[in-house]
Amino acid sequence: MRPKYSVVVPAYNEEEVIGETYKRLSKVMLGMGETYELVFVNDGSRDKTAELIAEYCETDSAVRLVNFSRNFGHMPAISAGMAHARGEAIFIIDADLQDPPEIFPQMAEKWREGYHVVYGQRKKREGESFFKKVSAKIFYRFIRRMTSVDLPVDTGEFRLIDRKVCDAVNRLPEKHRYIRGLVSWVGFKQTAVMYVRQERFAGQTKYPLRKMIAFAIDATAAFSYKPLRIATTLGFLISIGSFIHIAIILFQWLFTSTTIPGWASTISVVLLMQGIVLMILGIMGEYIGRIYAEVKNRPSYIVQEIIGHDDDA
């Protein structure tokens, strides 16, 4: 029998918090008074995360565990959870409890009003450094400006999606999956629920600055051609400037006795041009790399085992 709600919970090295996550999720879902399932996706954790969740599977028929064969990443873990979720509505939440499951009832109320996607939008971030808050603010606005889909700012994957949206996203064949971008791209009726992002209950963040930058590159390459257009425009402007410079040099050589400056300025210009060329090649390389990954057609993740009750029959 299909449950009313599914809760997709990607987890990587979360043994310090997974017990509290299970307790809070179970309490909230039981309080909603509908059938539900908790779909934990263990993304190749190296600690006892998988063992702890497997214990919950033995004592709670609502819990299922999807075990990856190794660490594939946050987006593949969410994709796997969505693929195995059976509910009419699917909540997506990270295991670190920074996003409070207590606002699930508000999301569900919006869903019952007719919205197909209800995303959590952060109005405040607690327990984070000034640098983290500023960099996150810049990150979300940069992504919004660079991508070709309407991505709401200050949102993550924390949301409720209708079965129709989940199926539509699951059918998309691409391998580099930026979930919040795909959910926005497929459309449907969407709205926000405001909330305060909490400090991590325990453990360490899985998104340091290095991963945030890589995430921004992935999101931009997945949903925008703007970097390529910027590179083309930059190359065009540099070419015009170069032709004008050559014309000036020829004019000076033919009609004046002005001496041309020495090699230092020439080397500086050459190095600048080479740097720009390498930057443009790097941008092109990002897109070509994604084409290469798609052509290989490897799966985004490999499931080692699924633990838990399956009462579809």
Side-chain angles (χ1 to χ4, degrees):
M1 179 179 177
R2 184 187 294 274
K4 187 75 171 181
Y5 299 111
S6 295
V7 184
V8 171
V9 191
Y12 175 65
N13 292 344
E14 298 287 5
E15 67 172 328
E16 296 179 57
V17 71
I18 202 68
E20 183 67 17
T21 302
Y22 167 69
K23 290 178 184 176
R24 284 177 61 179
L25 287 175
S26 298
K27 181 180 179 180
V28 170
M29 299 310 297
L30 286 170
M32 292 176 68
E34 299 280 3
T35 56
Y36 71 93
E37 64 176 356
L38 305 180
V39 183
F40 288 91
V41 182
N42 173 43
D43 185 21
S45 297
R46 299 176 182 176
D47 59 8
K48 295 182 179 179
T49 299
E51 289 87 340
L52 292 171
I53 299 172
E55 292 178 6
Y56 303 143
C57 292
E58 294 177 0
T59 58
D60 188 345
S61 61
V63 181
R64 301 171 69 206
L65 170 62
V66 179
N67 251 330
F68 280 0
S69 60
R70 64 170 177 84
N71 177 245
F72 284 93
H74 189 222
M75 292 297 117
I78 294 176
S79 297
M82 290 172 60
H84 289 86
R86 300 169 295 179
E88 296 176 29
I90 296 92
F91 294 103
I92 302 173
I93 185 171
D94 289 340
D96 57 17
L97 293 178
Q98 286 190 277
D99 300 323
E102 286 75 17
I103 70 169
F104 280 177
Q106 293 176 248
M107 291 180 166
E109 180 61 32
K110 292 288 185 181
W111 175 61
R112 286 190 290 269
E113 289 175 9
Y115 290 97
H116 299 99
V117 177
V118 185
Y119 51 84
Q121 191 163 38
R122 302 156 189 157
K123 60 181 179 181
K124 186 179 179 182
R125 305 170 70 103
E126 294 185 346
E128 295 181 346
S129 66
F130 174 77
F131 176 78
K132 175 67 174 179
K133 292 177 181 177
V134 171
S135 61
K137 187 173 183 179
I138 293 172
F139 166 78
Y140 289 113
R141 282 147 185 82
F142 171 79
I143 293 297
R144 183 177 176 86
R145 291 292 299 271
M146 290 300 293
T147 55
S148 56
V149 295
D150 184 20
L151 293 176
V153 298
D154 300 322
T155 63
E157 271 61 51
F158 181 44
R159 62 190 59 211
L160 175 152
I161 59 175
D162 184 80
R163 180 80 253 167
K164 294 177 182 178
V165 178
C166 185
D167 290 342
V169 173
N170 287 341
R171 285 194 295 267
L172 298 176
E174 59 201 76
K175 301 297 182 291
H176 281 83
R177 300 175 70 82
Y178 178 55
I179 300 299
R180 74 190 75 162
L182 292 176
V183 171
S184 294
W185 183 86
V186 297
F188 296 94
K189 193 176 180 181
Q190 308 196 11
T191 190
V193 168
M194 306 300 292
Y195 75 102
V196 176
R197 185 169 170 83
Q198 305 295 318
E199 184 178 0
R200 277 186 68 95
F201 179 81
Q204 299 295 321
T205 178
K206 304 304 186 295
Y207 270 97
L209 181 61
R210 173 180 57 84
K211 284 194 174 182
M212 288 289 286
I213 293 173
F215 195 48
I217 293 173
D218 283 342
T220 303
F223 285 94
S224 177
Y225 298 109
K226 286 184 180 179
L228 291 175
R229 290 172 181 168
I230 291 172
T232 301
T233 302
L234 187 60
F236 181 72
L237 293 175
I238 291 173
S239 297
I240 292 176
S242 299
F243 282 120
I244 293 173
H245 184 62
I246 291 171
I248 292 172
I249 291 175
L250 288 174
F251 178 83
Q252 290 176 338
W253 180 62
L254 292 172
F255 301 106
T256 72
S257 58
T258 304
T259 56
I260 300 175
W263 66 272
S265 58
T266 303
I267 291 298
S268 298
V269 172
V270 169
L271 290 176
L272 174 63
M273 294 301 103
Q274 289 298 318
I276 292 173
V277 168
L278 289 174
M279 180 187 72
I280 293 172
L281 288 175
I283 292 172
M284 294 173 63
E286 288 291 334
Y287 286 91
I288 293 171
R290 280 157 179 74
I291 294 171
Y292 179 57
E294 296 293 331
V295 168
K296 286 189 295 186
N297 202 30
R298 291 177 185 170
S300 299
Y301 57 86
I302 296 175
V303 175
Q304 177 177 308
E305 62 178 342
I306 299 175
I307 302 173
H309 298 270
D310 189 348
D311 50 14
D312 277 344

